[in-house]
Amino acid sequence: MDFTFTQDQTMMADVARDLLDAECPVSSLRALSAAGEARDAARWRKIVDLGLLGVLVPEAAGGLGLAEIDLVLIAEHCGYFGLPEPLVDTAGIALPLLAALPDVPRAAEALERTLAGESTVAIGHPGNPFVLDADAAGAILLPVDGALHLVDRADAKLTAQPSIDPFRKLFRVEAEPSAATLIADAEAAAPLLTQVFNRGALFAAAQLLGLARRSNDLAVAYAGERTQFGKPIGAYQAIKHHLATVQVKIEFARPVVYAAAAISPASGLHEEARISHAKLAAGEAADLSARTAVQVHGAMGYSWEVDVHYFLKRTLALSGAWGTPNDHRKRAAARVFGAPVGPEHTFTRGAAHG
Amino acid sequence: MDFTFTQDQTMMADVARDLLDAECPVSSLRALSAAGEARDAARWRKIVDLGLLGVLVPEAAGGLGLAEIDLVLIAEHCGYFGLPEPLVDTAGIALPLLAALPDVPRAAEALERTLAGESTVAIGHPGNPFVLDADAAGAILLPVDGALHLVDRADAKLTAQPSIDPFRKLFRVEAEPSAATLIADAEAAAPLLTQVFNRGALFAAAQLLGLARRSNDLAVAYAGERTQFGKPIGAYQAIKHHLATVQVKIEFARPVVYAAAAISPASGLHEEARISHAKLAAGEAADLSARTAVQVHGAMGYSWEVDVHYFLKRTLALSGAWGTPNDHRKRAAARVFGAPVGPEHTFTRGAAHG
Amino acid sequence: MNLDYTPEQQAFRADIRAWLEANVPAAPLPSFDASRAGFEAHRAWERTLNDGRWGMVTWPTNYGGRGLDLIEWLIFEEEYYRAGAPLRVNQNGIFLLGPTLMEYGTPEQRARFLPAMANGEEIWAQAWSEPQAGSDLAAIRSKAVREGDDYVLSGHKIWSSRAAFADWGFGLFRTDPASERHKGLSLILFPLDAPGVRRQPIPQINGEIGFAELFLDEVRVPAFNRLGEEGQGWAVCMATAGFERGLMLRSPARFQVAAHMLVELYKRHQHEVDGTVRAAVVQAWMDADAYALSIYATASRLRAGGHIGAEASVNKIFWSEMDIALQRTALAILGARAELLPVAPDAGDVDGWLDSYLFSLAGPIYAGTNEIQRNIIAERMLGLPRA
Amino acid sequence: MNLDYTPEQQAFRADIRAWLEANVPAAPLPSFDASRAGFEAHRAWERTLNDGRWGMVTWPTNYGGRGLDLIEWLIFEEEYYRAGAPLRVNQNGIFLLGPTLMEYGTPEQRARFLPAMANGEEIWAQAWSEPQAGSDLAAIRSKAVREGDDYVLSGHKIWSSRAAFADWGFGLFRTDPASERHKGLSLILFPLDAPGVRRQPIPQINGEIGFAELFLDEVRVPAFNRLGEEGQGWAVCMATAGFERGLMLRSPARFQVAAHMLVELYKRHQHEVDGTVRAAVVQAWMDADAYALSIYATASRLRAGGHIGAEASVNKIFWSEMDIALQRTALAILGARAELLPVAPDAGDVDGWLDSYLFSLAGPIYAGTNEIQRNIIAERMLGLPRA
């Protein structure tokens, strides 16, 4: 029992954070959205070169052979910096899925090309109505009737579904499944799709935790600068207490997200409830944090000019992606009412669904 | 359309308030509970002498022939002062029920004796698990299999059910119903019992509104006196905002309670939803107000020595009496999902249950 | 107390309902904050309203009104929102400046400004805030220097709603250069196309431009444009802000219609969401209902000679928090689709909920933040000591 | 990061579970705050615990402990609460003063006080607050005058928990009469049966007497009883308060057991309540779980050499608000029966929920109000400017 990150884990996360700090300032988001773009190819190249995409890929397949807990801090930083490029979905969801199909040549090839930064793979899942980044991907993972297909982007019909978040390019994807596109039949696909959903929810939670921290950092900074009635507004107790309340939410989402990562990958009743708890807690923290940041910024918070809205919108989008709060409350309830509860079960694993 | 009280209504309420102000200080509650008593006979006599019991009783039966709206402010004051004696239940529920049975001699007699202050009538209802004040009553209204009986206290077996509120004497009541005790058969009793419940909920709401105001008044007064870190705690923004938040709750419970009274007696979908809304809104205001008052009083708020706990306990008890929040949410939902909504329906009446 | 409408009130409701059914544009007008075309379409609608004498039914007949009372105003608003009629592009004029003109304006000022306001010829922007004077409105630095029969205005206004396209603005200016805080301010009206006025639109969170910055560089206006006495601008402005926070600007009907839409949205999706969402829908309806009842009570009291006090602050807090809760509930029902813009092909019934949610976040901020409102309630209503 | 228990930790859990199964009294002990008999029954239980070397497993073996780390402490607490073992009547001693003695006490002081604390011979009351010094603890007026080898204590302490029946008290006294605020205070231990000590019980909202006032009139104690340097009492006390707000006093297990009971209560009544109550039950479980995870993370960090900072304030806010929400949910399930005392013949399964609810209201107040905690978070953790 040791609920601390290893030195390796924090070092790798620090490297990622430093890269994002240097390469993903809000000015770059502002420039991208002004240009109507959603991706910065140069930044993506640097991320690829850092080798972060293969964290969850076995060493035999060219990755680092690590686990979710090794990626969770990096996903949190991606949320914090509002990274538009698909590092989290690629490293956290798509590649471990492809790596789980080593005997499927097309999957292995897509894995290799993605690891090399030559292409990306977009992920369709019944839990999400649309596919993110399908236009920029070389191939799209597409569940059809429970089976899993990998279709070339060129063979798919994409219908853009504009999101409030300028960096989330969503699409309805239609494609003709065939024996050629099949990479896992329904039986083989079922556990993989479960893992995809759990990883999606886990890493969305990690990003939401980062978003929560970012919005509060922005609000704290502004509250220290902005003066009204002769003193910084951060000296007023009302503002202090708003920000402290957000901080409490953050502090109690954090260990849940990390604990969920520490027990991944997994699919028991306990583990799924913890992942859902992480998504709920981080989502609530991020939501309250973003709204509080708007409020602390006053009218500025409602303007495009101030940075808050980028994180508010990402928060809104990720709150509904990979399971809504409603979906995740249901999974938490399934565990509470379907398995023993009590202090001796904090770290219990497994248990089939009731 | 005139959403103001008449001069007569406010004058009568002011008279009641002045009486309670003089006769029901917290010191009298403290003395009563120290003596293990729940009633002050002298105070009850003064209330009876003021003629308040007959507000809802027709003039022909010796009352004032008025309506719920004429009693609502008085009930609010009873809540404000934490009156232990059963003015609200007697004038607001028991007597109008008895008055609705003019052809039943035993009902008429009980009405007459109660109006004269010689006795009281306790009220059993399926919506409440126990009967309040059954020990002190001369007779008890008891629904059995849908029919309504009036049993002498001496013929009933009472089992005391101690409440956290020292002035709420609750009892399980068992009695042998007979033709002699019957005052309304099931068919005649059904609408009467509905009215009993609606009046019970309405006047509980009015008392909760008064309780909400009282707790906040106590907190505001203490916040102006108590000094910490060199200034009154009421000068700190955190305390100010707590108390302002309570005041907002109070201000938006108030018109709902009054509107519910203005359309009573009635039993349509709209009216019942409004009464339930009143009970919910006043209950939430009273609950937040009492808890905030404890918090503002600091450790003092947790002591028996300070007055807050009397109002906290009454709030707790009345929140569950005459329908729990759960029950009342259900009635509000029945109206929202069972009848047209929209701004033109604010004052719509009637509509049968769906 | 009598909560039934009179036959006259019912007849009035029938009249406005019939007129709206005949006149409300079938398709929604484009936003007045998004383009000049949308702005002008709304100006035309204001003219249509005025032609029917429905512009401001509470105004005296000589200014195009009907001289009706606040209860009829509420009925008008109920029908107006129920019919889905266009938002009022001139709300700064008709709801804020108009009543102030009637209270503080000279007969000449009323004659000059009210008719053109009523028929939409002149659309008004407000210009309260400055970069350093938001919640702390008394920190205003913009100045008005008297030169003969004119004032010369200079300064920098911000968060000026409608100023991107409007014709006129009104705001506070320091007429006494030696004054501080609330003293020495005057309320002055100025044309937005006057020489020396530069407008800089402020894109909002949702990409629209409901606000602009105004840079005033020696803008010359006649002293006639000062409303109220010189140096009394703060008192005049507070009266106006009272109206803004209070009765007129946030009609209960607006929230009741939103609650109605929420109920319909919920009914379509009730099997996709759990009991917490159902309870939130019912709560939204109850809150909108409570707000309506409260405003009817206030209107009745005002009609009987009462005044609006700190309850303007109470109302502000209630409706702004209710609005956010209501919009959030809608997003909870929409689930994963909540992030979609209405133009998305698969948007389904996302409608304008997302935009309304973002707009609702401005509620606790503008016209005095809710923090300021709570201070006001605590100090003026509850009598707690000032810090 | 590894969230599995080691075989040693699992064996430790099995040991304490077996011991508790064999030793926990079958019937609950009477409250230690309600009567001398209840108090003494709990004292006897402390002795039993100590006899089994289960009194404080983190204490060194020479004081009756097992020298185990904080993870084992958490496991101990989980099993302790799971078994429904008696509340710790000496918590002021073993959780607050004990660690402070180990940190600041001389070897002689530790030898004098720790064994008697461990075996329950001496039960401790805390005496922090004074009538004018609640949240503003530095406003303390009680004084300790040095006379030779003694201090002479005078003053008025309030909200002294356990003081109605306890043997010893500890509190801050002004040893430098010219000092102000945080300076010139010393932490002094004093017997509650010493001449000059008068105890006045304070009945609580629930009628029990967990607190007393202490009137000290020239109470003479040896200077030996001063813990830490003279005038350094504030620093010593802050270290103690850090522990109080932080890790020891509010075991996650306590809330997890409460959440477990809530789940069982809900299961019995789920058809009587709606989805909001169900969601609140699940939320209570999640919150208790999050609290446990957070404390495990802190314990892991402390074991690796970290220190507790402002997260003590974060914890305080979280558990106190969680506790109120949890208890309120239980009352919502009990419905109309919630007002009943457990002695009511028809109380059914109301159990101790009402009392727990009332007690939970003290959570945001004691050991520094949540308002103070939010100030601390804002200023020390977020770096916001002081007012």
Side-chain angles (χ1 to χ4, degrees), chain B residues 33-222:
Chain B
S33 67
E37 303 282 328
R39 301 285 171 266
D40 179 327
R43 181 165 54 214
W44 181 243
R45 188 70 249 171
K46 285 181 181 150
I47 289 168
V48 171
D49 290 347
L50 214 57
L52 292 175
L53 295 188
V55 172
L56 299 192
V57 173
E59 288 179 271
L64 300 180
L66 299 172
E68 281 78 355
I69 188 66
D70 301 285
L71 188 61
V72 70
L73 291 173
I74 296 172
E76 182 181 334
H77 292 314
C78 291
Y80 186 92
F81 288 100
L83 181 72
E85 292 80 30
L87 168 56
V88 174
D89 284 11
T90 305
I93 311 172
L95 295 194
L97 170 65
L98 293 174
L101 298 163
D103 302 331
V104 181
R106 293 190 58 248
E109 185 207 1
L111 169 60
E112 200 181 316
R113 294 198 55 210
T114 304
L115 266 185
E118 294 163 14
S119 179
T120 57
V121 175
I123 310 153
H125 189 278
N128 290 323
F130 305 111
V131 181
L132 187 64
D133 293 318
D135 61 333
I140 303 167
L141 285 160
L142 209 63
V144 181
D145 299 332
L148 196 52
H149 295 263
L150 186 65
V151 299
D152 283 352
R153 199 255 327 242
D155 298 334
K157 182 181 163 218
L158 307 187
T159 310
Q161 311 285 344
S163 162
I164 183 77
D165 182 335
F167 305 117
R168 279 175 60 87
K169 300 282 189 187
L170 298 170
F171 298 88
R172 167 158 39 90
V173 175
E174 291 157 291
E176 201 63 54
S178 69
T181 63
L182 184 78
I183 58 171
D185 60 21
E187 195 186 348
L192 295 176
L193 286 170
T194 299
Q195 267 196 2
V196 162
F197 185 81
N198 285 331
R199 287 197 177 113
L202 168 66
F203 291 119
Q207 290 178 81
L208 285 163
L209 177 60
L211 285 159
R213 287 176 38 227
R214 182 58 172 276
S215 293
N216 216 34
D217 282 0
L218 289 171
V220 165
Y222 186 76

Side-chain angles (χ1 to χ4, degrees), chain C residues 247-301:
Chain C
L247 208 54
M248 306 301 259
L249 202 56
R250 283 289 168 214
S251 277
R254 177 176 179 275
F255 302 107
Q256 291 178 298
V257 165
H260 186 178
M261 287 167 53
L262 183 67
V263 168
E264 297 303 320
L265 179 69
Y266 172 77
K267 282 178 173 173
R268 287 195 297 276
H269 299 279
Q270 57 182 306
H271 300 298
E272 303 157 29
V273 289
D274 67 17
T276 63
V277 177
R278 182 181 177 87
V281 171
V282 174
Q283 188 68 50
W285 174 79
M286 287 195 289
D287 286 346
D289 198 51
Y291 186 62
L293 292 174
S294 167
I295 298 295
Y296 266 94
T298 303
S300 297
R301 203 165 48 67

Side-chain angles (χ1 to χ4, degrees), chain C residues 65-292:
Chain C
R66 292 170 182 242
L68 296 174
D69 70 19
L70 287 169
I71 301 295
E72 273 108 351
W73 161 249
L74 292 171
I75 295 169
F76 170 85
E77 286 283 277
E78 287 166 6
E79 293 299 319
Y80 193 87
Y81 277 99
R82 178 178 176 278
L87 293 178
R88 307 295 295 268
V89 67
N90 210 5
Q91 58 187 7
N92 290 312
I94 54 182
F95 297 155
L96 298 184
L97 185 61
T100 315
L101 269 165
M102 289 192 226
E103 179 92 13
Y104 293 94
T106 62
E108 294 73 22
Q109 287 177 317
R110 296 201 294 263
R112 161 66 191 83
F113 292 112
L114 287 172
M117 180 186 293
N119 69 17
E121 251 175 65
E122 290 174 350
I123 309 285
W124 288 82
Q126 56 79 3
W128 295 134
S129 298
E130 299 186 3
Q132 298 310 317
S135 289
D136 184 10
L137 198 53
I140 276 174
R141 295 181 190 168
S142 292
K143 60 184 180 174
V145 178
R146 183 73 180 247
E147 292 189 5
D149 286 344
D150 294 340
Y151 283 112
V152 178
L153 312 179
S154 296
H156 180 184
K157 298 288 185 181
I158 193 168
W159 309 116
S160 185
S161 59
R162 299 300 96 69
F165 303 115
D167 308 296
W168 277 78
F170 58 93
L172 285 174
F173 293 85
R174 204 162 285 287
T175 36
D176 175 359
S179 67
E180 285 195 346
R181 309 288 304 159
H182 311 79
K183 297 177 187 118
L185 299 169
S186 299
L187 178 57
I188 297 177
L189 323 181
F190 54 99
L192 290 172
D193 58 359
V197 177
R198 185 164 66 82
R199 327 183 196 197
Q200 175 77 46
I202 307 175
Q204 290 160 211
I205 242 170
N206 63 356
E208 294 204 349
I209 39 176
F211 302 103
E213 287 182 86
L214 295 174
F215 298 91
L216 306 178
D217 183 14
E218 306 218 334
V219 177
R220 185 169 293 268
V221 298
F224 177 81
N225 289 14
R226 190 195 66 233
L227 186 48
E229 295 303 305
E230 185 170 286
Q232 295 302 307
W234 185 260
V236 177
C237 152
M238 283 300 101
T240 309
F243 260 86
E244 177 178 8
R245 288 196 300 262
L247 208 54
M248 306 301 259
L249 202 56
R250 283 289 168 214
S251 277
R254 177 176 179 275
F255 302 107
Q256 291 178 298
V257 165
H260 186 178
M261 287 167 53
L262 183 67
V263 168
E264 297 303 320
L265 179 69
Y266 172 77
K267 282 178 173 173
R268 287 195 297 276
H269 299 279
Q270 57 182 306
H271 300 298
E272 303 157 29
V273 289
D274 67 17
T276 63
V277 177
R278 182 181 177 87
V281 171
V282 174
Q283 188 68 50
W285 174 79
M286 287 195 289
D287 286 346
D289 198 51
Y291 186 62

